Amino acid sequence: FETERMSLRYVAWVFSMLLLCFGCAAWKYAEDLSPGPTVETFGLTFEGPVHGAGWEQLIGEHNLSASATCGLASFFWMTSAPTLPYANIRYVIDGNQTLEFQAFEGTGIGFGDETIWGNTRTGKGSAISGIYNTYQIPFYKSLRVSVQLPPWVSSAALFVNVRGSENLPVVLGNFELPATTRLQLYRNVNVSMRPLDFIEFFEASSAGAVLAMYLSVLTTPPINFWEGCLRVYDPANMTAVKWWLSTGTEDFFQSAFGFSCVWNCREYWFPEAGFTHTDGATMFSAYKLFEQDHFFFDQRGASVQWRLGDTVDGQGKKCHSWGDPNGTQIGTVTDATVTTYAWVYEW
């Protein structure tokens, strides 16, 4: 009988442990299914005539609801008649940060190119306009979006759609970025450069990740500016390259041999890089996205520099360290007017 009682006690103990395990599992399942913050989408639109050279047209404003902790603008689309490649788009974030970009350049398009193309992040859906981007722009209180006519355009028919959602995080590729993330835009517009000059795409002083970079070059033949390499520096030590971002300009934009201009310049539009405009002799523009090909940096920050043309050392090694007095210029490089954009998340 004693053995029987012990067996019953053991069965009861096993049964109680099973109930406890099932209870824990049920509680965890219920926790996983419990409603989190409410995600709700909002939209801002404008359609109609706009009059006045340089007029800034408000598209709309959105203030976070009382239950929201963050917002995410995730879609911008615009068309117009006439085409407005140089219209200024402005996002005012939380009342104290402004992202301002030209319509076509902010889409990765140089020189008003009319080609129809697109990917998941940016593109152009019509010969005369229809530009869009799906850059994720976080805000934490309010968002204001406007479009400003260029000073030489006195009137236009304007159509704009902006969308976003509350309580969504910023996701870059497979990574959810920190809750304090902000998107910064660094621009150099129409900068005059001499052969072998450097230009800084951006310098960040905190941790972050690059979303996109854009370059346009206006120059004259012979064309050798694309020999220029991209260098990454630690802002605390700008005398030594930390690592090389590319072995040449066209290499960075996922092309080769001078964007094929050695034979016949050809535009292309890949999911993560594109050569969006060229006349084969004087005008060149390209974009690079960093979603699958990641570019993260730590709390020390980062600086990215590009050079107009480049050099080789005595052993024929290209893109050696900045400032090497023994470098030999590669080919003939001419003066250029350069514009750069860098969209960078920082936290």
Side-chain angles (χ1 to χ4, degrees):
F1 291 107
E2 187 63 29
T3 304
E4 241 177 65
R5 280 195 292 270
M6 289 179 65
S7 298
L8 288 172
R9 287 195 198 100
Y10 177 74
V11 170
W13 178 82
V14 171
F15 185 68
S16 64
M17 289 300 101
L18 287 172
L19 285 177
L20 180 61
C21 291
F22 284 132
C24 290
W27 175 80
K28 183 65 173 67
Y29 180 72
E31 184 184 54
D32 291 344
L33 293 181
S34 62
T38 300
V39 177
E40 185 172 3
T41 297
F42 64 87
L44 311 174
T45 63
F46 177 85
E47 57 174 321
V50 178
H51 300 287
W55 176 261
E56 183 176 1
Q57 177 61 51
L58 176 66
I59 306 306
E61 298 176 288
H62 182 78
N63 295 309
L64 287 184
S65 60
S67 61
T69 59
C70 62
L72 193 69
S74 56
F75 180 77
F76 178 89
W77 171 91
M78 184 183 91
T79 194
S80 62
T83 305
L84 299 173
Y86 302 106
N88 280 323
I89 319 296
R90 287 193 184 92
Y91 281 64
V92 179
I93 298 164
D94 299 337
N96 58 17
Q97 180 194 1
T98 300
L99 296 179
E100 181 174 333
F101 55 95
Q102 286 192 347
F104 276 34
E105 290 177 349
T107 311
I109 304 166
F111 307 102
D113 191 274
E114 297 184 349
T115 308
I116 298 172
W117 62 275
N119 54 49
T120 58
R121 277 286 169 251
T122 185
K124 183 169 174 287
S126 170
I128 63 169
S129 192
I131 61 164
Y132 70 87
N133 74 63
T134 60
Y135 296 161
Q136 298 178 41
I137 304 175
F139 62 98
Y140 301 94
K141 293 179 182 178
S142 62
L143 176 70
R144 183 183 192 273
V145 182
S146 62
V147 175
Q148 184 178 26
L149 296 182
W152 58 86
V153 177
S154 59
S155 64
L158 185 64
F159 303 84
V160 180
N161 293 319
V162 178
R163 285 193 289 277
S165 298
E166 294 187 348
N167 288 324
L168 281 182
V170 181
V171 177
L172 182 63
N174 301 320
F175 295 91
E176 181 176 319
L177 302 187
T180 57
T181 296
R182 287 190 178 274
L183 181 60
Q184 306 288 352
L185 174 57
Y186 298 85
R187 293 198 303 168
N188 297 292
V189 179
N190 294 331
V191 176
S192 297
M193 296 183 65
R194 302 295 304 276
L196 303 185
D197 280 353
F198 284 86
I199 192 169
E200 186 174 65
F201 265 88
F202 72 91
E203 181 179 326
S205 57
S206 63
V210 180
L211 169 62
M213 292 169 61
Y214 162 83
L215 172 71
S216 74
V217 178
L218 178 63
T219 188
T220 56
I223 308 301
N224 286 297
F225 75 84
W226 46 54
E227 298 292 352
C229 303
L230 282 92
R231 299 149 164 87
V232 180
Y233 296 89
D234 181 338
N237 182 13
M238 295 295 291
T239 60
V241 176
K242 186 176 182 181
W243 58 280
W244 299 91
L245 189 54
S246 78
T247 52
T249 303
E250 77 276 45
D251 307 2
F252 175 67
F253 294 106
Q254 298 177 198
S255 184
F257 296 104
F259 297 104
S260 294
C261 293
V262 172
W263 303 283
N264 181 23
C265 289
R266 296 182 182 180
E267 298 166 353
Y268 59 86
W269 306 269
F270 301 151
E272 292 244 330
F275 185 39
T276 54
H277 181 81
T278 185
D279 63 355
T282 62
M283 296 184 289
F284 305 84
S285 68
Y287 67 86
K288 176 74 178 82
L289 299 172
F290 289 92
E291 293 210 65
Q292 304 306 315
D293 169 21
H294 302 298
F295 182 175
F296 285 87
F297 49 90
D298 64 19
Q299 69 279 1
R300 292 172 294 180
S303 168
V304 171
Q305 305 250 349
W306 175 73
R307 199 177 195 185
L308 184 68
D310 226 302
T311 59
V312 293
D313 63 16
Q315 298 178 336
K317 182 180 178 183
K318 183 182 173 186
C319 302
H320 47 80
S321 295
W322 178 17
D324 184 342
N326 300 316
T328 302
Q329 179 176 302
I330 304 170
T332 300
V333 182
T334 55
D335 294 353
T337 300
V338 173
T339 293
T340 69
Y341 278 53
W343 302 82
V344 182
Y345 289 117
E346 297 177 26
W347 54 84

